[in-house]
Amino acid sequence: MPRPRTTRILRALALLAAALISLPAWANPEHPVPWQLNLTRGASGLSHDVWDLHMAVFWVCVGIGVVVYGALVFALFKFRKSKGAQPDTRLTHHTVLEVVWTTIPVLILIGLAYPASRLLVYENDTNGSQLTVKVTGIQWMWRYDYISYLGRPVDKVGFVSKLAEDSNVARQEDGGVSPWSVVSKHGVHDYLLDVTHPLVVPTHTKIQFLITAADVIHGFWVPALGWQADAIPGQIHDAWGKFDKPGTYRGQCAQLCGQDHAYMPIVIKAVPRAEFQQWLADQQSRTRIDRIARTAQVGAAAVPQG
Amino acid sequence: MSTHAATHDDAHHDDAPKGFVHRWLFATNHKDIGTMYLVFALVMFFVGGSMAMVIRAELFEPGLQLVQPYFFNELTTLHGLVMIFGAIMPALVGLANWQIPLMIGAPDMALPRMNNLSFWLLPFAFLLMLSTLFLPGGAVAGGWVMYPPLVLQSGESLAFTIFAIHLMGISSIMGSINIIATILNLRAPGVDLLKMPLFVWSWLITAFLLIAIMPVLAGAVTMLLTDKYFGTNFFNAAGGGDVLLYEHIFWFFGHPEVYVMILPAFGVISEVIPTFARKPLFGYKPMVYAIASIAFLSFIVWAHHMFTVGLPVGAQLFFMYATMLIAVPTGVKVFNWVATMWKGSITFETPMLFAVSFVILFTIGGFSGLMLGLVPADYQYHNSYFVVAHFHYVLVTGAAFGIMTGVYYWLPKWTGHMYSEKLGKWHFWLSVISVNVLFFPQHFLGLAGMPRRIPDYNVAFADWNMVSSIGGFVFGATQLLFVANIIYTVYFAKARAPARVWEGARGLEWELPSPPPHHSYSTPPEIRPGMLAHEDAH
Ligand code: HEM
Ligand SMILES: [Cu+2]
Ligand SMILES: [Cu+2]
């Protein structure tokens, strides 16, 4: 009598767990959501592959867990002294069983290692990138420099990206501003996930990131890209990513970098290619105007001194 | 020596030295030193635990409420160092000191005076390290891994901390030499290596690991010291040095170090489960080989802590495969524990409850370890709360639960009194529930994108953080029951413990009265059939 009910409850629980865990809608690729349980699938084929690997190894663990915990719980109920269980003290060895439970894990691991290796090689191949951006971690901000786009060098486009002002006000102790009150114009609660100048990139473009640091180690992590990369002084770490949809993708410095480690978010704004083209052209002409202005100034300043 | 023993009267021999200074400061008895290690570890568990309570209180909700970000970093750094070097490791050494001589039929540890020194270095090391909280500029705030260049930005506390680490390292090395010397030289005739209890095996292998890695850590931190004070550039890129060199050296120490903390706990569990299943350990020899291969593999997986630094793809592949390989012997251990319970006759006294929860919860840490081992996935998990969840499952519900298992299991033997089973069960159930409320949601936080080591966070992370903090407070408070139970057992308990405290217990320590005499075996015990747990082991 109790058996059908327990199986029904168990099945319901398993279904619920499966539904909760596999709901990709529960994660938004652009930013975290309340009560989020799982990794975002991210914004490109690359990050989808990472998500698939993550889910594959997760389900493998669930499967092994069901077998091992199942056996354990069974033993705990079945072989109790209080139920009159007599110990079988000769059961201390079973060669076949031991060979089986050593080889099956090896096979499972090979099954996981194969896709993981392929993905790893793919992920580390930055060939064929169309946009190259240099990312520099600095205590406590990021600097972005555009190096080249579609094979042509970019003329001095670069800027520093810091924690946005409203977050900065709200983060002060006893500042009287609630973190909950910090909201973007699209209604996203972006406390500590908003910056003064987002990194602007085109969609549908293989972007190469050259990541380094000026002072201490930082960590460049935007979950939608599908990876993070340490930013290390004296090293250039190259990695690539892509965005299939326009959006504002948020991440944070992942590597402890001192006092304000929690306050150097990363925001990448992916826009359609045409819009990016326009933005880049604007930036370049602004640099040129800046440069002309500066040379004029330097020239003017030089005269009285000379 | 033998004439001396013969002429000495036995009752006098059994007397512990009188007077506090004589008994404790000049202690050379393995039981007294073991007790001091365990008490010290318990104190440090609460020191590190209080720091964790402040951390969880700050993280209870978004916004800064209690501490400044820099102080928060000091707390996470010291929490890690205190728990690893002050709580887990000394507790395991304490268990070793108490148990190894009893379990192999030795009169004491092989090098009693060195044993005294290994212990007494520790309080000074930790006074030194904790005193840095009060130095101008505060304690070291670069995380327990102390990566340069960040850690070099600390004030003078760095020098104090490094000196403290040197002291701990010396203490560990001397402790390990002692353990190896004891196990290899002082076994009673008949206690062959492959008949030793698994706890002894696990410590033998752990001691070799420690001797191999502590000097490596010492080298790494000394290079930090010279970089800061003597103008060297080991880790300074601008001076031709290499930041990654530090990470490589540190994790060459660091990964085996995590096994130093878990292997002796494996040993404890392998003693306790057979006792309460009333059945010999399943697969004794495979268990020994599994420990040995885990120890070997632990030397060739260090770069799995550095998958995101940009190593060559070939290196990443190698370290991924080696890391995945560790899951095989780890799995074998879990399967053997389950098989030991299979067809047993199980009862659930407190040590067994902790042991069973160890098997279940440590395995969760093993699963997340396997996930972290897959490099492309680790690119997402690294430095997030997912890693925090992983290592707390293996270290709290693994190492710490293993230690609590051992304490409940052997406390009646050590004191001659039974602990309170009722209090023990309360301690267990509250701990096992709260620890999961505390750490399981941290998997979700990490996957949702919350980095570790931050004092403040986006409001989307608020809910699970609050759940986790509530679990943390309950877990912290629950540990007071542990202390209460120990105090009760030592000072108040009436029920006397028999020599064989547990019906199913096998092994030399259960042949001695409870508590055992101050000097356990003046002459080596004569091994009779049935006395050893693994006499016909395969
Ligand atoms: C199946 C066995 C295990 C595997 C495959 C495994 C794998 C890993 C990996 C890949 C990492 C690096 C994660 C990252 O930083 O991105 C890691 C971190 C860690 N593991 Fe494990 N692990 C295992 C068991 C253990 C055990 C038994 C312990 C200790 C008792 C342990 C303690 C730690 C600690 C302390 C860290 C974090 C260190 C830090 O960054 O501060 N692990 N583990
Ligand atoms: Cu940072
Ligand atoms: Cu490791």
Side-chain angles (χ1 to χ4, degrees):
Chain A
M1 191 71 76
R3 192 158 305 149
R5 195 194 297 156
T6 24
T7 34
R8 225 180 309 137
I9 293 174
L10 277 180
R11 196 175 310 145
L13 279 179
L15 268 177
L16 186 69
L20 285 181
I21 295 293
S22 51
L23 258 186
W26 208 296
N28 178 323
E30 299 189 39
H31 52 79
V33 296
W35 297 109
Q36 184 172 335
L37 294 176
N38 201 0
L39 197 61
T40 166
R41 287 187 77 225
S44 69
L46 174 62
S47 64
H48 292 174
D49 289 350
V50 172
W51 193 84
D52 290 342
L53 182 68
H54 157 74
M55 289 316 287
V57 60
F58 170 76
W59 285 117
V60 165
C61 290
V62 170
I64 301 173
V66 166
V67 174
V68 175
Y69 294 150
L72 177 62
V73 170
F74 181 82
L76 293 181
F77 281 97
K78 181 90 194 286
F79 306 116
R80 295 171 168 247
K81 193 177 180 211
S82 59
K83 286 182 143 189
Q86 291 296 318
D88 176 0
T89 51
R90 285 159 314 144
L91 178 62
T92 58
H93 193 56
H94 194 294
T95 314
V96 177
L97 203 59
E98 286 168 326
V99 170
V100 167
W101 72 38
T102 315
T103 33
I104 290 187
V106 172
L107 296 179
I108 295 177
L109 291 179
I110 293 173
L112 285 170
Y114 179 72
S117 307
R118 283 185 53 138
L119 182 53
L120 183 68
V121 171
Y122 174 63
E123 207 164 3
N124 276 271
D125 179 7
T126 54
N127 284 320
S129 305
Q130 294 168 299
L131 170 67
T132 299
V133 185
K134 182 179 163 217
V135 176
T136 311
I138 306 166
Q139 284 175 318
W140 289 276
M141 62 194 95
W142 294 94
R143 187 183 165 84
Y144 303 115
D145 291 282
Y146 290 76
I147 307 293
S148 67
Y149 182 50
L150 300 178
R152 278 200 303 274
V154 175
D155 187 15
K156 293 234 171 79
V157 174
F159 49 87
V160 158
S161 177
K162 288 191 195 180
L163 184 66
E165 196 44 39
D166 52 350
S167 286
N168 196 30
V169 171
R171 83 173 170 109
Q172 304 303 326
E173 200 171 358
D174 312 320
V177 182
S178 158
W180 305 89
S181 71
V182 180
V183 181
S184 80
K185 58 176 186 288
H186 300 295
V188 177
H189 281 281
D190 60 1
Y191 176 59
L192 300 188
L193 290 181
D194 191 21
V195 294
T196 50
H197 299 283
L199 173 67
V200 180
V201 299
T203 54
H204 304 288
T205 305
K206 183 167 180 178
I207 308 159
Q208 181 185 30
F209 296 89
L210 301 175
I211 299 159
T212 187
D215 34 42
V216 302
I217 309 175
H218 300 268
F220 184 77
W221 185 26
V222 178
L225 283 170
W227 48 264
Q228 72 185 277
D230 290 8
I232 302 172
Q235 312 239 350
I236 290 185
H237 188 161
D238 85 342
W240 69 271
K242 226 180 203 180
F243 295 92
D244 289 346
K245 265 205 280 195
T248 307
Y249 298 93
R250 299 168 197 273
Q252 279 179 270
C253 177
Q255 177 71 51
L256 178 62
C257 57
Q259 165 173 310
D260 285 353
H261 165 53
Y263 310 109
M264 45 182 294
I266 300 152
V267 178
I268 302 183
K269 200 172 152 200
V271 296
R273 292 184 77 137
E275 195 179 320
F276 176 75
Q277 201 98 34
Q278 188 55 46
W279 177 86
L280 194 64
D282 286 353
Q283 296 293 314
Q284 281 179 306
S285 58
R286 195 179 300 166
T287 328
R288 271 193 290 276
I289 294 166
D290 270 6
R291 195 182 313 136
I292 293 162
R294 217 175 308 122
T295 10
Q297 257 176 16
V298 170
V303 174
Q305 270 178 12
Chain B
M1 190 62 219
S2 59
T3 46
H4 173 82
T7 52
H8 240 58
D9 107 352
D10 255 30
H12 173 78
H13 221 90
D14 277 359
D15 274 352
K18 297 278 185 304
F20 185 83
V21 172
H22 255 78
R23 169 116 191 231
W24 301 109
L25 210 55
F26 300 153
T28 50
N29 181 285
H30 74 99
K31 303 188 183 76
D32 288 348
I33 294 177
T35 302
M36 289 197 291
Y37 263 112
L38 288 165
V39 171
F40 176 79
L42 192 60
V43 172
M44 284 297 138
F45 183 54
F46 277 89
V47 171
S50 331
M51 296 172 180
M53 292 300 107
V54 179
I55 292 171
R56 278 317 325 167
E58 177 57 61
L59 293 173
F60 188 74
E61 54 182 12
L64 276 193
Q65 291 87 22
L66 295 174
V67 295
Q68 290 301 315
Y70 191 82
F71 185 64
F72 184 91
N73 293 345
E74 292 176 40
L75 283 181
T76 50
T77 305
L78 284 180
H79 165 74
L81 290 170
V82 165
M83 285 305 198
I84 293 172
F85 294 105
I88 303 281
M89 291 172 70
L92 295 169
V93 179
L95 292 178
N97 254 293
W98 254 104
Q99 286 308 122
I100 291 175
L102 297 187
M103 292 173 115
I104 62 173
D108 203 306
M109 295 295 281
L111 309 161
R113 292 209 175 83
M114 193 161 94
N115 207 5
N116 175 293
L117 187 56
S118 330
F119 171 75
W120 277 109
L121 281 176
L122 285 181
F124 295 99
F126 279 87
L127 274 179
L128 205 60
M129 199 172 80
L130 292 172
S131 73
T132 59
L133 273 172
F134 306 101
L135 284 184
V140 167
W144 82 278
V145 299
M146 296 177 293
Y147 282 178
L150 178 63
V151 78
L152 301 174
Q153 297 178 347
S154 314
E156 308 315 324
S157 58
L158 183 65
F160 285 71
T161 308
I162 288 176
F163 188 56
I165 290 175
H166 280 144
L167 290 179
M168 295 165 207
I170 295 169
S171 159
S172 292
I173 292 173
M174 290 197 304
S176 303
I177 292 174
N178 211 343
I179 286 170
I180 295 172
T182 307
I183 298 175
L184 294 186
N185 295 307
L186 297 188
R187 273 171 294 125
V191 186
D192 302 341
L193 277 180
L194 278 173
K195 288 184 185 169
M196 293 196 310
L198 258 156
F199 178 72
V200 180
W201 257 114
S202 68
W203 248 117
L204 180 62
I205 292 171
T206 302
F208 277 104
L209 278 184
L210 271 172
I211 291 181
I213 63 174
M214 291 316 287
V216 177
L217 174 66
V221 295
T222 305
M223 285 190 264
L224 284 179
L225 199 67
T226 62
D227 267 13
K228 183 164 166 81
Y229 290 102
F230 302 107
T232 56
N233 287 316
F234 291 112
F235 310 131
N236 176 10
D242 184 353
V243 178
L244 283 187
L245 176 64
Y246 178 85
E247 293 194 25
H248 282 293
I249 302 175
F250 181 86
W251 287 113
F252 186 85
F253 147 80
H255 187 82
E257 167 66 21
V258 307
Y259 282 97
V260 164
M261 293 187 278
I262 202 66
L263 294 183
F266 285 175
V268 172
I269 300 304
S270 305
E271 300 301 322
V272 170
I273 289 181
T275 294
F276 295 97
R278 290 167 181 74
K279 208 178 132 245
L281 186 71
F282 189 92
Y284 172 81
K285 277 189 189 160
M287 288 295 247
V288 173
Y289 299 148
I291 296 183
S293 42
I294 290 175
F296 168 74
L297 287 173
S298 75
F299 282 106
I300 54 165
V301 298
W302 76 87
H304 68 213
H305 297 272
M306 306 166 55
F307 281 148
T308 61
V309 303
L311 297 173
V313 178
Q316 297 188 51
L317 286 173
F318 170 81
F319 285 105
M320 173 166 79
Y321 300 148
T323 301
M324 296 177 79
L325 217 50
I326 281 208
V328 177
T330 312
V332 166
K333 299 208 68 91
V334 173
F335 302 147
N336 277 302
W337 288 322
V338 175
T340 304
M341 290 183 245
W342 199 263
K343 296 201 175 168
S345 172
I346 306 175
T347 51
F348 296 95
E349 289 86 344
T350 308
M352 183 60 165
L353 288 175
F354 271 102
V356 171
S357 72
F358 173 101
V359 174
I360 297 174
L361 299 177
F362 170 80
T363 303
I364 294 185
F367 287 145
S368 55
L370 177 62
M371 298 175 74
L372 289 161
L374 297 180
V375 186
D378 182 69
Y379 285 171
Q380 286 281 40
Y381 312 140
H382 182 67
N383 270 332
S384 78
Y385 256 84
F386 191 83
V387 174
V388 178
H390 160 69
F391 65 73
H392 283 97
Y393 266 91
V394 284
L395 286 173
V396 178
T397 59
F401 272 29
I403 291 163
M404 291 175 189
T405 307
V407 170
Y408 278 113
Y409 184 57
W410 285 309
L411 197 61
K413 168 58 57 186
W414 300 336
T415 62
H417 296 287
M418 282 313 283
Y419 61 83
S420 157
E421 194 62 59
K422 197 166 159 199
L423 206 53
K425 291 221 160 89
W426 272 102
H427 174 219
F428 169 75
W429 284 109
L430 285 173
S431 291
V432 82
I433 295 168
S434 59
V435 83
N436 284 294
V437 177
L438 166 58
F439 293 123
F440 208 82
Q442 297 186 355
H443 292 110
F444 307 145
L445 286 170
L447 293 176
M450 179 168 161
R452 63 194 282 207
R453 296 172 169 152
I454 55 175
D456 195 359
Y457 48 78
N458 180 265
V459 296
F461 303 130
D463 309 283
W464 284 126
N465 267 300
M466 191 176 285
V467 172
S468 175
S469 286
I470 292 170
F473 301 144
V474 177
F475 184 74
T478 301
Q479 301 321 307
L480 295 172
L481 298 182
F482 186 43
V483 182
N485 211 348
I486 293 172
I487 292 176
Y488 165 81
T489 317
V490 174
Y491 296 107
F492 301 105
K494 296 267 163 16
R496 296 217 60 94
R500 190 177 307 280
V501 176
W502 313 109
E503 182 191 30
R506 288 289 169 279
L508 288 184
E509 76 262 45
W510 308 108
E511 305 292 331
L512 290 168
S514 307
H518 198 62
H519 294 281
S520 318
Y521 304 98
S522 311
T523 53
E526 194 189 316
I527 310 291
R528 278 169 281 111
M531 269 167 73
L532 298 181
H534 311 290
E535 47 202 9
D536 53 353
H538 2 233

